[in-house]
Each structure stands twice: as C-alpha cells, then as structure tokens.
Amino acid sequence: MSKANLKLHVTFEFEIAAPEALLAHEHVTLCQKLNDILGPLVLQGMPKVTATQLAKAGASLIGHHCHLDAHNLSLPTIDRAAIIAAAPHLTDKELNDLARQLAGKTPEDPAELQRLLRRRALALVNEYRLVPCQVEGKLKSGGTFTDITVDASLNLTNGSVMVDEPHRQSHLQQGVGVITMVAANGTVRIIGNCEGHTLSGPVINVSIADIAKSRDALIQLWRA
C-alpha cells in the first residue's frame, strides 16, 4: 500500500432549518440522528467521489476521517464571561464544550449559575494546570519580617500555590492579602493569602475570581 504524503481538509458548514422534534434532542443524540439521516450516501459518497476525481490526477485515496458536529442555535447561549469567572482553567475549546453541554439548562439565579458552571467545569477538567510564578511576601525571621521573592507554581484549577523545594521551609507572613503572585513576565499580579505552614511549605491560595481576571494570559502561559 502507498504511504500518504499529503493531508487534505475539505470543510462544509450547513445552516439548517430543522423541525422542533430534531432540536429537542441532546447534543450527542442530535449528532447521532444527523449521522443516521445523512447515512452512507453522504458520509461514504464523498470519499468515493473524491477518490475518483483524485485518480484522474494520478493520486490515490489512502484513508479518510469524517467529523460530524452540530450546534443548536435555538438554545439560549451562556455568557462567556460567566463561564470564565467560574472556570478560568479551561481552554477556549473546553469553554465552548461546556457552554454547549449546558445550553438551555442553566438556572436564572446568578449564584446558582456560578455553582453549576464550577461543578460541571471541574467534572470536565479537574487536573492540575500549573503555571510558573513568583511569590512576593515577607519572610519571618525572629521577631521581624523581611521582603522575599520565591519561585513557585500556581494551579489554575483551584488557586493553590506551591513554592519550589528550596523555599518550602520558609515561614512567610500569614494573613489575607499579604502575598502577591507574579506571572507571565510580570504582566499578571494577583494578591493571595498565606493561611499557614505545613511540611510541604507555606499554604498559599488565590481566588478563582482573581485568576479569571487574568485568565487569557495565564492560559496562554500554561499552553506554552
């Protein structure tokens, strides 16, 4: 068999006036229904026609892949800012996936909406998404405090901060708003809290709301 040395993408986007009976289906079921409606005539027909046309130029079709998706335009959309506020750790694609999953199923109360978005976002992605940062705080030494900057990692998923190994025995000043997180070459500065110390180092957290304010820069940093 010949080896493929060229990949071809041919994309069509169809706008359809569909009956209510079709729109009533959940996203996965809707896609399956459309797949069944199109059937082999469309889904297998295009590869056959493409292979025939390519053969005229001496090219042969080695394999093919079909991706089918649908977006129900009749459902009310969720404000993107609301999703980011609840889940700044999600990528653009994941934000869109979550919006599609919950379209038409969200409560009107803003607080309930935020709780739902947060819960479903963590069900979608709950892994550690760490970005490098620096912690600016005050080091406790005897009865005095001196300024200190230590390397650390910020977990975009839950707002926790883990200082690097050499600094885990550092006792930073405790309290609300006494820590500043610096990331993305200094373009992101977030005030955080030091809640105490354990064997793993200072217990530092920043709020999800504050992460959301710098979400684009932090996600770009994480992807890099």
Side-chain angles (χ1 to χ4, degrees), residues 91-93 131 218-224:
T91 64
D92 289 347
K93 178 182 182 303
V131 296
L218 291 171
I219 282 293
Q220 184 177 2
L221 180 61
W222 175 74
R223 294 182 72 98

Side-chain angles (χ1 to χ4, degrees), residues 2-206:
S2 301
K3 181 179 179 180
N5 56 11
L6 184 150
K7 180 171 285 189
L8 171 67
H9 291 271
V10 180
T11 303
F12 288 92
E13 186 172 275
F14 299 96
E15 295 181 1
I16 303 170
E20 290 297 327
L22 191 59
L23 295 176
H25 293 293
E26 299 267 349
H27 178 255
V28 174
T29 305
L30 174 61
C31 289
Q32 184 59 56
K33 289 286 185 181
L34 290 171
N35 182 81
D36 295 341
I37 291 169
L38 296 178
L41 183 63
V42 173
L43 302 182
Q44 297 298 325
M46 184 174 179
K48 290 181 180 179
V49 173
T50 300
T52 299
Q53 295 301 108
L54 289 174
K56 296 177 181 180
S60 58
L61 184 64
I62 303 301
H64 67 274
H65 170 74
C66 175
H67 174 72
L68 185 151
D69 197 6
H71 182 202
N72 190 340
L73 300 177
S74 67
L75 295 175
T77 59
I78 305 174
D79 182 33
R80 179 182 173 86
I83 306 179
I84 290 177
H89 68 290
L90 297 184
T91 64
D92 289 347
K93 178 182 182 303
E94 291 162 350
L95 290 173
N96 293 335
D97 289 344
L98 183 60
R100 185 171 60 241
Q101 291 174 15
L102 294 177
K105 306 173 188 175
T106 55
E108 294 183 4
D109 180 72
E112 290 184 20
L113 173 61
Q114 285 297 294
R115 287 193 291 270
L116 174 63
L117 291 174
R118 181 68 181 163
R119 185 169 63 252
R120 292 295 293 270
L122 290 176
L124 183 66
V125 176
N126 196 26
E127 65 185 14
Y128 275 26
R129 291 191 165 175
L130 303 176
V131 296
C133 65
Q134 289 186 313
V135 173
E136 294 180 351
K138 291 186 179 297
L139 177 66
K140 185 177 181 181
S141 179
T144 61
F145 291 95
T146 56
D147 293 336
I148 187 175
T149 299
V150 300
D151 294 327
S153 297
L154 168 62
N155 183 3
L156 302 182
T157 306
N158 64 13
S160 64
V161 180
M162 292 163 282
V163 301
D164 288 1
E165 180 67 37
H167 306 289
R168 289 184 181 170
Q169 300 308 312
S170 298
H171 281 255
L172 303 180
Q173 181 181 7
Q174 297 183 35
V176 177
V178 299
I179 298 292
T180 301
M181 310 304 308
V182 183
N185 294 321
T187 60
V188 174
R189 297 182 67 87
I190 304 175
I191 301 300
N193 308 323
C194 181
E195 301 175 359
H197 299 81
T198 68
L199 294 177
S200 298
V203 180
I204 303 172
N205 292 286
V206 299

